[in-house]
């Protein structure tokens, strides 16, 4: 078979029914406003830490909701808890509360 210079990546299907979302459920219980997030990315756009590091609150949020928590603690430590994301959020999500809850709940890597 002739190769055309590219390969097709394997699919990355996420089975949300079998994912362990216990950490996301606990964060939701501690910070009810987290359920209001619509994923607009305003928090990430204004984040000072995100401008200089790989920190991305929106991506972190999606990973936790999907149950993909391995390795997130290292990324979470870049947050400076400055609160700019809270001021930008159109839905009033307590992002600092989410970060504090995740720091307590995420497993140490």
């Amino acid at each position: 078979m002739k190769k055309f210079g590219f390969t097709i990546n394997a699919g990355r299907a996420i089975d949300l029914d079998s994912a362990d979302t216990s950490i996301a459920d606990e964060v939701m219980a501690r910070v009810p406003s987290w359920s209001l997030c619509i994923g607009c990315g305003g928090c990430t756009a204004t984040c000072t830490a995100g401008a200089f590091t790989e920190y991305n609150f929106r991506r972190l949020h999606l990973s936790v909701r999907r149950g993909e928590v391995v390795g997130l603690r290292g990324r979470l430590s870049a947050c400076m808890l400055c609160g700019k994301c809270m001021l930008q959020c159109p839905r009033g999500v307590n992002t600092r509360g989410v970060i504090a809850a995740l720091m307590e709940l995420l497993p140490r890597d």
Side-chain angles (χ1 to χ4, degrees):
M1 178 176 266
K2 205 173 204 180
K3 292 188 177 184
F4 294 105
F6 65 91
T7 59
I8 297 174
N9 293 334
R12 187 172 181 266
I14 300 170
D15 184 10
L16 294 177
D17 292 330
S18 66
D20 180 17
T21 60
S22 59
I23 291 178
D25 296 338
E26 181 62 28
V27 173
M28 197 77 70
R30 292 183 186 195
V31 188
S33 66
W34 198 38
S35 65
L36 300 174
C37 179
I38 56 174
C40 68
C43 53
T44 300
T46 61
C47 182
T48 304
F52 299 106
T53 65
E54 294 293 318
Y55 179 74
N56 185 323
F57 185 80
R58 184 178 178 196
R59 193 172 300 143
L60 180 86
H61 176 184
L62 287 173
S63 295
V64 172
R65 301 278 299 259
R66 290 177 178 164
E68 300 170 345
V69 297
V70 176
L72 290 184
R73 182 175 277 282
R75 283 193 263 158
L76 191 63
S77 65
C79 179
M80 299 182 291
L81 295 173
C82 66
K84 287 170 65 176
C85 51
M86 277 179 53
L87 295 173
Q88 180 64 30
C89 182
R91 302 293 300 230
V93 175
N94 180 4
T95 53
R96 291 169 91 184
V98 171
I99 298 298
L102 286 173
M103 286 301 280
E104 288 180 25
L105 297 170
L106 284 176
R108 302 213 183 269
D109 298 326

